[in-house]
Amino acid sequence: MNAPQPAADTARVLVVDDEPNIVDVISMALRFQGFEVASAGNGEDAIAQVAAFRPHLIVLDVMLPDTTGFEVATRLGAQRAGVPIIFLTARDATEDKGRGLTSGGDDYVTKPFSLEELVARIRTILRRVGHAEQESSLLSFEDLELDEDTREVTRAGHAVELTATEYRLLRYLLLNPRRVLTRAQLLDHVWDYDFGGDARVLETYVSYLRKKLDPHGPPLIHTVRGVGYALRQAKA
């Protein structure tokens, strides 16, 4: 895979994982948050990408088809001097975490993981090493805006008062515009249920949000039958 030409003023993250769906989801989330992203599916490609893409941080899966993430970190050595690594793995053994941190890793995230948590850890590490991107507190889609600093929400210029749960649900939808989110994903990220939540709770809060947002413009929260919900433009 050819690395994109790196920009000078954008935080660059290299995502290394042999599962394309995981790479796609992480990359989409990071790009939406303003990062520049390159990816690799094995150790050899990862090493080549570090030289070409010059990432500011690497998200590195431990179990790769040709080697381990630990070995990749060791082989990179001085080439990645000053570039932090977040190890990503399905393993949850204490000895693996210890090895990850002693192999040059700065953090360790276990699958399954929350995208919001991963992005937050990336931001924290980049700030610590002195490369924090310009962050905007404003999430927006069409005429809908949410300010994370003030927690104010507006639709077409009209203030919308939300409860804490409604706010979390809308924020997660705004973090994933146009993407179809399953009921399980929404329950897991908004209510911290582990796929065991009552979907009727979700349906109730989607209804609450619609009643508050729809009077000010075309519907933006759409039901995807049999799957979940998506924040997207109304069909003409």
Side-chain angles (χ1 to χ4, degrees):
M1 180 182 298
N2 294 326
Q5 291 299 311
D9 57 352
T10 303
R12 300 185 296 275
V13 179
L14 174 62
V15 180
V16 185
D17 198 298
D18 63 331
E19 297 184 54
N21 60 322
I22 290 179
V23 172
D24 289 346
V25 167
I26 295 175
S27 298
M28 183 188 306
L30 290 175
R31 290 190 179 104
F32 181 74
Q33 293 295 321
F35 295 95
E36 187 170 356
V37 184
S39 63
N42 58 55
E44 290 299 325
D45 286 348
I47 291 170
Q49 287 280 38
V50 169
F53 185 61
R54 301 196 306 278
H56 297 108
L57 182 142
I58 304 170
V59 177
L60 180 58
D61 188 27
V62 168
M63 298 304 295
L64 296 170
D66 57 344
T67 184
T68 68
F70 305 137
E71 179 61 27
V72 170
T74 301
R75 288 178 59 188
L76 286 172
Q79 186 179 357
R80 69 163 195 88
V83 180
I85 288 178
I86 296 179
F87 282 111
L88 186 65
T89 182
R91 295 182 177 180
D92 194 23
T94 302
E95 58 268 25
D96 286 335
K97 292 185 178 181
R99 184 179 176 190
L101 297 176
T102 56
S103 296
D106 294 78
D107 207 344
Y108 198 104
V109 177
T110 303
K111 302 174 185 176
F113 55 87
S114 159
L115 279 174
E116 290 186 51
E117 178 188 359
L118 178 60
V119 172
R121 293 193 188 195
I122 289 171
R123 290 192 190 281
T124 297
I125 292 174
L126 287 174
R127 280 195 295 267
R128 191 171 71 221
V129 299
H131 193 96
E133 79 286 5
Q134 290 295 109
E135 295 183 35
S136 170
S137 64
L138 196 65
L139 299 177
S140 63
F141 181 78
E142 295 295 314
D143 58 356
L144 176 63
E145 294 186 346
L146 180 152
D147 191 318
E148 294 186 285
D149 287 342
T150 64
R151 297 180 71 88
E152 294 176 342
V153 175
T154 60
R155 175 87 198 269
H158 299 276
V160 179
E161 297 295 328
L162 301 181
T163 66
T165 301
E166 291 166 354
Y167 176 89
R168 289 196 304 272
L169 176 57
L170 180 60
R171 179 178 181 273
Y172 190 61
L173 288 167
L174 282 165
L175 286 170
N176 297 275
R178 303 180 185 87
R179 179 183 169 199
V180 177
L181 299 169
T182 68
R183 291 177 175 82
Q185 285 175 311
L186 287 161
L187 288 168
D188 189 41
H189 285 86
V190 178
W191 282 271
D192 294 326
Y193 291 172
D194 187 13
F195 303 100
D198 187 342
R200 288 175 298 182
V201 173
L202 172 59
E203 292 164 1
T204 298
Y205 275 90
V206 168
S207 174
Y208 291 160
L209 273 182
R210 285 170 168 162
K211 287 178 181 177
K212 293 183 177 183
L213 298 176
D214 291 359
H216 306 298
L220 293 178
I221 303 175
H222 298 271
T223 301
V224 180
R225 189 174 300 277
V227 182
Y229 299 93
L231 185 70
R232 60 193 182 195
Q233 294 173 309
K235 293 182 179 179

